[in-house]
Amino acid sequence: MDEIHEASKRLKTEHETFNAEYQQFMDRLDKEEAKIEKRYGLLEEKQKSLAEARGNPNASADDLIEINAGGKIIAAKRSTLTHLKGTRLEALFSGCWDKKLLRDGDGRVFLDVNSEAFQSIVDYLNEIAISSPDNPPQHPTADCENQYIIDQLLELFTMEQLNGIDSNIVKTYAHIALLHDWLGEDGSDGDFDLLYRSTRDGQSALDFHSRCDNKGCTLTIVETIDGLIVGGYSNTPWNTEDQPSAFGWRGADKAFLFELDEDALSGNGISSPRKMKLRDPDSHAATFHNPNFGPSFGCGFDLKVVGSRLLLFPGSYEMEPLGEIRQRQTRTIKEVEVFQVNADPALIYRKTARREEHTQGATRMKIQEATSFTGGINDALNVKLRKIKEAEQKLTDLENLLDGEEKFIDLFASGETKDIVRLNVSGTTMSTKRSTLMVFEESVLARQFDDSKWTEQGHATHRVKEWTPGDVCLWAQSIEDVSDDVANIFEENQITGNELLVLEKDGLMMIGIKRAGTLCLLVNEIKKLQKASQNAITLIEHSPYCFGKILDYLRLKKLHSNLVDEPCLPVIRESESCRFEKVVKYFFPGESAELILGRGMPITIKMALNALEDLNNSDNLSLKDGRPLHTIMLVAAVRSHELRQTAFYLDVEDGTGFVSVRVRLDEENGCIAKNQVCKDHAYIRIIGHVKQSDGRMQILATNVRPVRSGNELTNHFREVAICYEKHIKKVGSRGDRSGLRGGSPLNDAMLYFIKTLGSHNIDIGVHVSDVVAQVNLFQQLATRAQREQVSSQVFSADDIRNALNHLSNEGLIYSTIDEHHYQM
């Protein structure tokens, strides 16, 4: 009996432990659920508060919205402008921010954009209404000279995916955007290049493998004859030549499955669209490689293509592709498409930056799935856990969306009417913001539109519509031969400036002005005001073509680092290139002109690879000598190349290092790529921007052309040295070196480089080795006269150490985190 009692006691203990652990798990779930409910409540309060303060409560899908897009009036229904859900364009015209939007003097929404590019986007939205899924609208396009402007507007409005995918299956913006978002979650997003289409290339496994093996990361999309759209992504290349022993299964830590089509599957018990990750990212059964099968995922198989059949069965991935339907499924395939996914560092960086910005400071649920209870209880608990996590993710997305919308509106679409500038560019009317014209603070444009000169250009007259009744009274008193009694009539009737501009003879009589002569005099003066209001425009006596190109660049430059990537350089037709250069140099003397003209700062690859991040903005890079990296110029030899559907990729080197270069294909660059640049060992000149993604540097080229002669390579390295020399002289002329009081030329140079390099990290300072490298780089690049000012030798670490000890003993520098790091 004692043994029975002991067993009963143990059973009771285990039961109590089981109940306690179960209750503890449930309490944690309930606590997370309560947190989510509270956050939803706070979000709803914020949405309501913002709607009352900034929104239009009477906004309707049928509202006709007039937009002043850079001086051109474009009209569209609100429903048209908000058709693409989840984009910044939808947020802009949703009605939630109507009171916040910048408007021109006639009450139209003002957008500081290229009018033709924005018109192309609106044309695309209009075409959606008359297009079928089988005949989708043409994406917004322009000629090769202006396509880059449309591309950056699409980026601004988070509509990049419109340039996305050549697919017979995925045709809607929502699905394209969803695929990019899912890929972007793991830093895998990029361009889609079609490798295989079953209706074009054949349905056999051989057809698939001959086109898709060894092609890198791929995205597979399958459509069945009953409307199901599913697929999978693998970051492990397909390969049937070298199968491992485990039946061809291979790992792919970023692999996932997905289902897309909601409408075709409604009523089938299928939750769609959704992404299904691997249950175990370290699994060796993420994909199955076999010469007899098409693309296959999971050990079950979760998704398997065999000829014209699609097999679906849950196993390796989080949730079965067919929702709650658990039995094996076999369906007939209508179409299979496989795309190569070419990672785009700029796109990945932008999406990662947005995600990190939104999730900064956020706490994530850390509850692991239940495994210690019975199978049925584990399943039930884990279903609730997944639903809570899904709800949390949806809530986080809504919070991020609202925060992102608010920032976008503040940076792009808000402001005061008085800062809208109307320009008469040799007969062509353009409109922009004053802040756009002042992007380069030292330019002629910026000085022309600064505060001291702005009121001298007749813009005070342009604001007649803003006059108060008191202003109108003062105006009437200023008119010769008009009595004060007439002025008082205006004030008594509380006539505003806007009302004054529409008053005619009958209207003046209605407010009490009867005398014929006074009526004629007032009508004449009101006509003058109307004309002055219409003609309050600044004359720019330059080529509309050239000034328009400059204005487009300034608009995109103003948005850079906040909303869009570094703007592309203006693409100028050959017949206007000389004139464009003259106009640019007139308005932007100095380095700004070189930037706009695309000449870029000459550097070597090693200088780019050693670039430093700005601690306040990781999107900004600078050289170790402190010069910011905006547009750069390289001359290098092509060592390998790969031409793809939307871009070509080059590995280049210049004797100082290797770097990857990516050039997006357009009509011009596509021709260059095929005929001249895509030749191994050819020397090319590259203009572009340095970008960093996942610790890897890449050049995003805006212009590539072959080197015309051997002298061009020599001259480039000479320009590198001259540019460096000018920088040293410039900082010296500002007193950054002469006043350092180091006691010797070498010590002065040391203090200069510690100050320059240490500015990138105030707390840590600069490492001794970096100072050695910088001083020796100066020795290599500086002129003989400059070297003699410091010393004629190449300094060793010991020389630097002795100099550091002297400067430290003098109290001019101090060590920071260890004896190898110093700061001023």
Side-chain angles (χ1 to χ4, degrees):
M1 290 298 294
D2 290 342
E3 292 178 352
I4 295 175
H5 289 313
E6 190 64 31
S8 298
K9 182 178 179 181
R10 180 182 176 186
L11 179 61
K12 181 179 179 181
T13 301
E14 291 296 329
H15 184 264
E16 290 173 349
T17 301
F18 181 92
N19 286 341
E21 290 178 353
Y22 173 79
Q23 190 59 50
Q24 184 180 26
F25 198 97
M26 284 296 301
D27 289 344
R28 294 179 68 189
L29 292 181
D30 292 342
K31 183 178 180 180
E32 293 297 334
E33 185 177 357
K35 285 182 182 178
I36 292 172
E37 289 179 354
K38 183 177 180 181
R39 283 172 59 189
Y40 265 113
L42 293 174
L43 178 62
E44 289 174 356
E45 289 179 10
K46 183 176 181 180
Q47 289 173 326
K48 183 178 179 181
S49 175
L50 287 174
E52 292 175 351
R54 301 181 176 184
N56 176 6
N58 299 316
S60 167
D62 293 328
D63 290 343
L64 181 65
I65 298 177
E66 288 192 337
I67 302 163
N68 180 343
K72 178 180 179 179
I73 308 306
I74 298 173
K77 283 187 177 181
R78 191 185 298 275
S79 58
T80 300
L81 297 168
T82 59
H83 181 80
L84 300 182
K85 304 305 179 186
T87 63
R88 286 176 178 159
L89 187 67
E90 184 221 356
L92 184 64
F93 295 105
S94 64
C96 297
W97 307 97
D98 277 14
K99 295 178 184 176
K100 182 77 173 176
L101 300 182
L102 173 62
R103 297 181 183 272
D104 65 14
D106 294 311
R108 305 183 186 97
V109 175
F110 181 79
L111 300 183
D112 195 6
V113 296
N114 177 287
S115 57
E116 297 307 317
F118 188 76
Q119 180 71 68
S120 180
I121 292 175
V122 174
D123 290 345
Y124 167 79
L125 296 173
N126 284 326
E127 191 180 350
I128 289 177
I130 59 172
S131 300
S132 65
D134 294 330
N135 185 21
Q138 179 183 355
H139 294 162
T141 56
D143 54 36
C144 63
E145 187 180 313
N146 294 301
Q147 183 61 41
Y148 74 95
I149 300 175
I150 291 181
D151 290 342
Q152 293 208 270
L153 272 191
L154 294 176
E155 179 191 341
L156 171 67
F157 295 127
T158 57
M159 297 165 61
E160 301 103 318
Q161 285 79 19
L162 290 184
N163 291 329
I165 185 168
D166 174 21
S167 174
N168 288 341
I169 303 173
V170 178
K171 301 173 182 178
T172 68
Y173 171 82
H175 283 168
I176 295 172
L178 202 54
L179 288 173
H180 280 288
D181 287 344
W182 284 338
L183 289 166
E185 290 174 3
D186 292 321
S188 304
D189 199 12
D191 298 326
F192 296 161
D193 290 344
L194 181 66
L195 298 175
Y196 168 75
R197 177 175 286 150
S198 61
T199 56
R200 180 193 69 184
D201 303 319
Q203 287 188 320
S204 73
L206 178 61
D207 294 326
F208 161 70
H209 286 291
S210 65
R211 289 167 174 79
C212 300
D213 279 6
N214 304 308
K215 296 296 185 180
C217 305
T218 55
L219 182 76
T220 300
I221 307 174
V222 183
E223 181 181 14
T224 65
I225 59 174
D226 58 347
L228 174 66
I229 298 177
V230 294
Y233 168 78
S234 172
N235 59 317
T236 295
W238 299 107
N239 185 350
T240 54
E241 298 174 358
D242 183 25
Q243 288 188 21
S245 58
F247 305 101
W249 275 297
R250 299 185 186 178
D253 60 338
K254 295 183 179 181
F256 64 86
L257 300 182
F258 60 86
E259 52 183 324
L260 283 179
D261 200 302
E262 295 178 273
D263 297 331
L265 300 178
S266 59
N268 288 346
I270 298 169
S271 173
S272 178
R274 62 175 170 168
K275 173 183 179 181
M276 293 153 281
K277 297 181 180 180
L278 277 168
R279 294 180 186 275
D280 177 11
D282 297 325
S283 170
H284 295 293
T287 56
F288 186 73
H289 304 244
N290 188 301
N292 298 315
F293 301 148
S296 304
F297 295 79
C299 64
F301 299 89
D302 296 65
L303 185 153
K304 180 179 179 182
V305 173
V306 184
S308 62
R309 293 179 300 138
L310 172 67
L311 279 66
L312 299 159
F313 192 71
S316 302
Y317 290 80
E318 280 183 345
M319 302 181 73
E320 58 277 9
L322 296 181
E324 304 303 320
I325 301 175
R326 294 180 176 275
Q327 69 272 23
R328 182 183 295 273
Q329 295 285 317
T330 301
R331 302 201 179 198
T332 302
I333 292 173
K334 177 181 178 183
E335 182 76 281
V336 178
E337 294 176 333
V338 180
F339 298 86
Q340 184 179 43
V341 181
N342 303 309
D344 182 343
L347 184 61
I348 293 171
Y349 175 83
R350 289 197 300 272
K351 292 195 171 186
T352 302
R354 291 173 193 164
R355 193 176 300 112
E356 289 178 350
E357 179 182 347
H358 290 316
T359 57
Q360 196 169 26
T363 57
R364 291 286 182 180
M365 193 186 310
K366 298 180 180 179
I367 303 177
Q368 301 298 320
E369 289 197 351
T371 57
S372 59
F373 308 109
T374 64
I377 292 178
N378 283 338
D379 286 347
L381 289 173
N382 291 334
V383 166
K384 181 169 183 178
L385 175 60
R386 286 195 293 269
K387 296 301 181 184
I388 290 175
K389 287 185 175 181
E390 289 174 8
E392 182 192 40
Q393 184 59 54
K394 288 179 181 178
L395 174 60
T396 300
D397 291 343
L398 289 172
E399 292 170 335
N400 293 344
L401 184 63
L402 183 61
D403 292 341
E405 286 180 7
E406 189 170 14
K407 177 181 177 182
F408 167 67
I409 298 298
D410 287 340
L411 291 173
F412 171 69
S414 62
E416 297 185 57
T417 301
K418 65 181 181 181
D419 286 324
I420 297 174
V421 182
R422 295 178 68 224
L423 304 171
N424 177 355
V425 186
S426 296
T428 300
T429 301
M430 304 179 188
S431 294
T432 186
K433 289 182 181 179
R434 190 155 64 107
S435 55
T436 298
L437 299 171
M438 300 175 71
V439 165
F440 293 100
E441 296 179 355
E442 302 301 320
S443 68
V444 172
L445 271 181
R447 292 196 298 271
Q448 184 175 351
F449 290 93
D450 66 17
D451 291 333
S452 63
K453 296 181 176 63
W454 181 230
T455 54
E456 298 173 12
Q457 297 172 351
H459 212 75
T461 306
H462 180 53
R463 295 200 296 270
V464 172
K465 292 183 179 182
E466 301 174 18
W467 282 2
T468 65
D471 295 326
V472 174
C473 180
L474 291 174
W475 165 80
Q477 290 175 346
S478 68
I479 300 173
E480 189 176 356
D481 296 329
V482 171
S483 68
D484 289 344
D485 291 339
V486 172
N488 291 334
I489 291 175
F490 281 108
E491 190 165 27
E492 289 169 2
N493 285 273
Q494 291 292 291
I495 301 298
T496 65
N498 207 21
E499 294 167 338
L500 178 65
L501 289 172
V502 298
L503 279 179
E504 296 178 349
K505 180 180 177 182
D506 292 342
L508 292 170
M509 293 177 66
M510 288 173 63
I511 65 173
I513 301 173
K514 306 297 184 183
R515 188 170 175 273
T518 302
L519 285 171
C520 293
L521 189 60
L522 288 173
V523 167
N524 186 55
E525 291 296 325
I526 289 173
K527 286 181 179 179
K528 290 180 181 178
L529 283 181
Q530 291 170 338
K531 185 176 180 179
S533 181
Q534 293 170 354
N535 295 334
I537 187 168
T538 301
L539 179 64
I540 302 290
E541 293 185 284
H542 290 283
S543 158
Y545 174 86
C546 295
F547 190 83
K549 290 290 185 178
I550 291 172
L551 187 55
D552 286 332
Y553 180 80
L554 294 178
R555 286 165 170 157
L556 295 173
K557 186 70 177 174
K558 182 171 178 285
L559 298 172
H560 170 55
S561 81
N562 287 316
L563 297 172
V564 299
D565 202 2
E566 178 73 33
C568 296
L569 298 173
V571 180
I572 308 300
R573 65 177 71 123
E574 187 66 29
S575 61
E576 296 285 347
S577 58
C578 292
R579 181 179 292 114
F580 179 74
E581 181 174 342
K582 288 181 181 178
V583 175
V584 168
K585 288 184 175 180
Y586 169 77
F587 282 116
F588 306 94
E591 295 180 1
S592 299
E594 300 301 309
L595 176 65
I596 298 172
L597 292 171
R599 289 179 181 159
M601 179 170 60
I603 65 170
T604 64
I605 290 176
K606 183 176 181 180
M607 294 165 71
L609 296 176
N610 291 334
L612 302 171
E613 282 189 3
D614 186 331
L615 294 178
N616 297 319
N617 186 346
S618 59
D619 193 28
N620 294 335
L621 298 171
S622 61
L623 298 178
K624 283 192 171 184
D625 58 27
R627 285 178 289 169
L629 280 179
H630 295 304
T631 302
I632 59 93
M633 177 171 61
L634 283 174
V635 174
V638 178
R639 295 311 181 204
S640 66
H641 69 274
E642 182 178 2
L643 182 60
R644 300 176 185 171
Q645 185 173 343
T646 60
F648 63 94
Y649 296 77
L650 310 172
D651 289 321
V652 303
E653 67 99 6
D654 66 352
T656 70
F658 287 80
V659 72
S660 173
V661 179
R662 179 181 185 276
V663 186
R664 184 177 292 275
L665 289 180
D666 56 29
E667 183 176 326
E668 178 184 0
N669 281 334
C671 177
I672 292 174
K674 295 171 184 175
N675 298 320
Q676 296 172 305
V677 173
C678 278
K679 295 180 180 179
D680 289 351
H681 310 299
Y683 277 87
I684 58 174
R685 178 179 289 269
I686 304 161
I687 305 292
H689 313 291
V690 182
K691 291 295 178 185
Q692 183 170 264
S693 177
D694 295 331
R696 186 170 67 93
M697 290 290 185
Q698 185 180 56
I699 307 297
L700 302 183
T702 56
N703 183 269
V704 180
R705 67 166 177 80
V707 168
R708 297 187 177 95
S709 70
N711 290 334
E712 197 166 339
L713 178 62
T714 304
N715 288 337
H716 174 74
F717 282 98
R718 178 174 172 271
E719 289 172 1
V720 172
I722 291 173
C723 189
Y724 181 84
E725 177 184 337
K726 287 181 178 179
H727 173 68
I728 295 297
K729 286 183 177 179
K730 184 176 181 180
V731 296
S733 68
R734 292 199 300 258
D736 290 346
R737 293 182 63 201
S738 59
L740 293 174
R741 300 177 291 104
S744 72
L746 171 58
N747 291 345
D748 279 350
M750 292 287 298
L751 286 176
Y752 166 69
F753 289 122
I754 290 173
K755 179 179 180 180
T756 302
L757 301 178
S759 65
H760 293 286
N761 195 322
I762 302 299
D763 297 326
I764 295 177
V766 57
H767 194 279
V768 174
S769 61
D770 290 331
V771 180
V772 173
Q774 189 62 45
V775 173
N776 287 334
L777 177 64
F778 175 78
Q779 294 292 305
Q780 296 168 25
L781 298 180
T783 62
R784 177 179 179 182
Q786 286 178 312
R787 288 198 300 270
E788 289 175 351
Q789 290 178 9
V790 181
S791 174
S792 59
Q793 69 184 77
V794 174
F795 299 110
S796 67
D798 288 339
D799 296 327
I800 303 297
R801 172 62 63 190
N802 292 333
L804 289 173
N805 288 337
H806 171 77
L807 296 173
S808 180
N809 292 335
E810 293 295 319
L812 297 175
I813 62 173
Y814 61 91
S815 59
T816 56
I817 59 174
D818 57 35
E819 62 180 1
H820 302 296
H821 288 81
Y822 286 86
Q823 183 59 279
M824 287 186 66

